[in-house]
Amino acid sequence: MSWTPNQIPPQDGRVAVITGANSGIGFHATRELAQRGAHVVMACRNEKKARQAMEEIRADIPNASLSFVPLDLSSQKSVRDAATLIRHQQEKIDLLLNNAGLMWLEEGLTEDGFEQQIGTNHFGHFTLTLQLLERMEKVPGSRIVTVSSIAHRGGKIHFDNLTLKGEYGRQKAYAQSKLANLMFAIELDRRLQQAGALTRSLACHPGVSNTNLAVPGIVEQSPLKIGKVVDLVWPLFTQSAEKGAWPTLYAATSADAEGGHYYGPRGWFEAMGAPAPARARRYAQDAEKGQRLWQLSEQLTGEHYPHG
């Protein structure tokens, strides 16, 4: 039988931290977990939009337990400030959903000197995760779920030129960042297991989902004036943001989801459908490359895994 959110077990007493929780996949993941009793910390860049999302959820789920923490993943300082606040507010964390991301940006650097997409999508989540591990490692059943993308298949980690200086392309940078997300999730689980932690790290992707992240990017990328055509045709080849959240929720809550594994839609080219094991390219599973990316990430962020 295909998995649906109806199979999510009760989440009473559990705490979930979700980045980018105010819209798209993050919003629907927040709603589903809150509906089942979890307290959800909505870690978002825009407080106004986060508060509006809270109101929308509470209109349907009056007893939803939600809180807001300001988080700008493109700023290492903001990430550390957010993590400090979360640690202060929460004695334990059951779920960390590394969901937020940027897609197909023009060339540019973050305030820390990272290329914007890998700086936000990977380095931001890398630092947040390591900062919150102390609240998770001893929690039975705790999970860290990092959202990658089908686009990882076209990616490569440019270890000697992460900013892609002189060879930048919007899709190229995005693919690199999503590959980094997947490699991080796999390497993190290996380290958690070696340390004897109770937490597991998993990865997922939403397939091709009709979110506010994807549609504007496609329209902007097109050399033709086809915005109206995209509006008409796009839904035929995508699934809703609500269904796009299913692999994330499956990885976060299903007893069948395993640490170190990757999940996505089971349909045609993993674009749509119920959650199932997804295909991670061999590059992403290369242990040597995963360790190299980890070591480079520690060096560039200054964050270090407490167990070596």
Side-chain angles (χ1 to χ4, degrees):
M1 182 177 69
S2 295
W3 187 93
T4 73
N6 291 332
Q7 295 169 246
I8 297 175
Q11 300 292 302
D12 301 86
R14 305 193 86 202
V15 175
V17 176
I18 305 181
T19 66
N22 62 275
S23 65
I25 290 163
F27 172 83
H28 291 289
T30 298
R31 179 189 174 89
E32 292 289 350
L33 292 173
Q35 189 171 36
R36 285 158 181 80
H39 173 72
V40 182
V41 178
M42 302 174 68
C44 308
R45 184 173 53 180
N46 188 308
E47 181 172 1
K48 181 179 179 180
K49 290 181 179 179
R51 300 290 181 191
Q52 290 172 342
M54 285 183 183
E55 290 178 9
E56 186 175 343
I57 291 171
R58 285 175 174 148
D60 292 331
I61 311 169
N63 62 342
S65 180
L66 307 168
S67 62
F68 165 75
V69 166
L71 170 67
D72 180 353
L73 286 162
S74 70
S75 163
Q76 290 282 301
K77 180 182 184 304
S78 174
V79 172
R80 291 188 177 93
D81 288 346
T84 298
L85 184 56
I86 293 169
R87 290 196 309 269
H88 177 74
Q89 294 176 346
Q90 310 299 332
E91 293 184 0
K92 58 103 175 180
I93 298 169
D94 299 270
L95 299 173
L96 171 58
L97 306 187
N98 291 325
N99 163 77
L102 297 175
M103 181 180 186
W104 294 348
L105 297 185
E106 294 287 354
E107 186 172 8
L109 302 178
T110 70
E111 65 183 45
D112 301 291
F114 302 134
E115 185 279 315
Q116 293 178 94
Q117 294 183 77
I118 198 169
T120 300
N121 300 350
H122 169 61
F123 289 120
H125 283 123
F126 180 87
T127 295
L128 181 67
T129 300
L130 294 194
Q131 286 267 322
L132 295 180
L133 269 181
E134 67 178 74
R135 290 290 190 267
M136 302 190 72
E137 290 181 308
K138 297 180 181 179
V139 179
S142 56
R143 298 184 187 183
I144 298 164
V145 179
T146 301
V147 180
S148 181
S149 167
I150 294 173
H152 91 271
R153 297 177 191 166
K156 174 184 176 183
I157 305 299
H158 299 260
F159 289 103
D160 298 321
N161 185 20
L162 282 179
T163 61
L164 301 176
K165 186 175 182 179
E167 53 180 307
Y168 186 84
R170 288 188 285 187
Q171 295 98 329
K172 186 176 185 178
Y174 179 69
Q176 175 178 243
S177 74
K178 292 286 102 179
L179 176 59
N181 283 148
L182 181 52
M183 293 169 68
F184 163 66
I186 294 171
E187 176 64 14
L188 174 60
D189 193 69
R190 185 185 71 81
R191 290 171 181 256
L192 289 168
Q193 290 197 52
Q194 285 185 341
L198 301 180
T199 307
R200 286 293 168 263
S201 169
L202 305 87
C204 66
H205 76 82
V208 183
S209 299
N210 194 357
T211 69
N212 59 356
L213 181 69
V215 177
I218 286 178
V219 174
E220 289 168 8
Q221 287 278 67
S222 173
L224 304 174
K225 301 296 184 180
I226 59 169
K228 292 183 179 179
V229 175
V230 169
D231 287 342
L232 292 173
V233 176
W234 185 247
L236 301 178
F237 299 94
T238 64
Q239 59 186 2
S240 66
E242 181 177 4
K243 287 189 176 180
W246 288 14
T248 298
L249 290 164
Y250 177 84
T253 67
S254 174
D256 294 327
E258 301 179 60
H261 287 238
Y262 182 43
Y263 299 94
R266 65 165 36 158
W268 183 68
F269 284 97
E270 298 182 9
M272 296 179 283
R279 181 172 65 86
R281 61 179 292 209
R282 191 172 301 173
Y283 188 110
Q285 301 177 71
D286 186 303
E288 184 177 344
K289 288 186 174 66
Q291 292 171 32
R292 185 180 178 188
L293 175 63
W294 187 282
Q295 291 164 0
L296 183 59
S297 299
E298 287 191 335
Q299 176 187 335
L300 293 176
T301 64
E303 288 296 323
H304 295 280
Y305 186 64
H307 305 296

